[in-house]
Amino acid sequence: MKTPNYFADAGSSFEDADFVIFSVAYDKTYSFRPGAKKGPAQIRNVSWNFESYDVRTDVDFKNINIHDYVDLNVSDMNPKKMIETVKEFTSHILSKKKIPI
């Protein structure tokens, strides 16, 4: 079964969300082997195997407004531009009174 390409239980719209997950799938600065850019997609994929309720904190993630913006489009950028893009997007999230993850 193919899982959705967003983090499990992060189905809120950007406007309704209190938290915004986003990822930086970037491989331009690797020093040995490429592949880090595949990490965010894999994390999202396995997130569908977790229970939404955490007994230790008594929190059900289904009751939290989370939006998954998915990957920022930075794969073809040089490192300096990529960092600037991440800073700008994080500032945008904060300006909307949301918590970036």
Side-chain angles (χ1 to χ4, degrees):
M1 179 174 125
K2 184 164 173 50
T3 59
N5 68 340
Y6 60 91
F7 197 89
D9 303 315
S12 293
S13 69
F14 183 89
E15 293 77 24
D16 293 339
D18 297 313
F19 300 88
V20 177
I21 298 171
F22 71 96
S23 54
V24 182
Y26 193 75
D27 252 358
K28 295 253 180 175
T29 58
Y30 71 87
S31 59
F32 181 58
R33 291 186 188 162
K37 69 180 178 184
K38 296 177 182 178
Q42 291 302 317
I43 291 169
R44 286 183 177 94
N45 184 42
V46 300
S47 75
W48 291 90
N49 293 318
F50 296 121
E51 295 291 332
S52 66
Y53 178 73
D54 182 4
V55 69
R56 290 181 305 129
T57 60
D58 192 33
V59 171
D60 192 333
F61 288 100
K62 289 180 181 177
N63 298 328
I64 299 174
N65 293 327
I66 305 171
H67 174 74
D68 189 347
Y69 189 84
V70 195
D71 294 337
L72 293 183
N73 187 13
V74 297
S75 62
D76 293 330
M77 295 179 182
N78 66 51
K80 185 175 183 178
K81 179 63 177 162
M82 179 272 297
I83 291 169
E84 186 59 35
T85 300
V86 172
K87 286 171 60 177
E88 288 172 2
F89 188 69
T90 302
S91 294
H92 171 69
I93 293 170
L94 292 170
S95 76
K96 300 293 185 181
K97 307 292 187 225
K98 299 171 186 313
I99 298 172
I101 301 174

